[in-house]
Amino acid sequence: MQPIPIIVEEIPDSIKKYVKQIEKVTFPKQGCTSDVGILHTAKGRYVLKRTKGEKYRKWLYKEYYVLKNIQALTDFQSSSAYKFVQNSRRELAAVRIF
């Protein structure tokens, strides 16, 4: 899968409303299962991951689910999963970097 940059205009409104003002998006080196962008905002940095296809959607949802549930562990510090958005064309997850 060739990485495709995530542009601000395609980020769902529910994610934009949560992270507030997006100052810039940067793109780290990554694997082949998703497109990744780092959202730099006034509230901090967020990882935005985008997948296409059933197999990778399931993997991304599992990653989101684990991060959401690991937050309940009081002795374990991890990134925070905030949103998972799914539509017919793509799936996106936003994760806060600590």
Side-chain angles (χ1 to χ4, degrees):
M1 176 192 271
Q2 180 69 14
I4 300 170
I6 298 169
I7 56 174
V8 173
E9 291 77 23
E10 73 177 313
I11 298 171
D13 288 337
S14 61
I15 292 176
K16 286 182 191 175
K17 286 178 184 175
Y18 185 83
V19 301
K20 306 289 186 210
Q21 180 66 34
I22 298 172
E23 297 165 358
K24 68 178 179 175
V25 181
T26 58
F27 304 96
K29 283 188 166 186
Q30 58 200 2
C32 298
T33 62
S34 62
D35 301 319
V36 177
I38 307 295
L39 306 179
H40 300 263
T41 76
K43 290 176 67 174
R45 291 180 296 159
Y46 295 82
V47 174
L48 185 63
K49 297 182 86 175
R50 175 182 61 194
T51 62
K52 295 180 181 176
E54 184 67 16
K55 176 181 175 181
Y56 299 128
R57 181 197 64 78
K58 287 180 180 178
W59 290 2
L60 182 59
Y61 184 78
K62 286 179 183 178
E63 182 179 341
Y64 168 81
Y65 180 82
V66 167
L67 284 173
K68 264 313 236 191
N69 286 285
I70 210 166
Q71 293 169 350
L73 301 174
T74 56
D75 295 334
F76 190 82
Q77 185 178 18
S78 71
S79 300
S80 302
Y82 286 102
K83 289 276 185 189
F84 185 85
V85 178
Q86 179 179 351
N87 67 27
S88 61
R89 293 186 359 244
R90 65 184 183 276
E91 293 75 39
L92 296 116
V95 176
R96 176 83 186 267
I97 301 172
F98 65 88

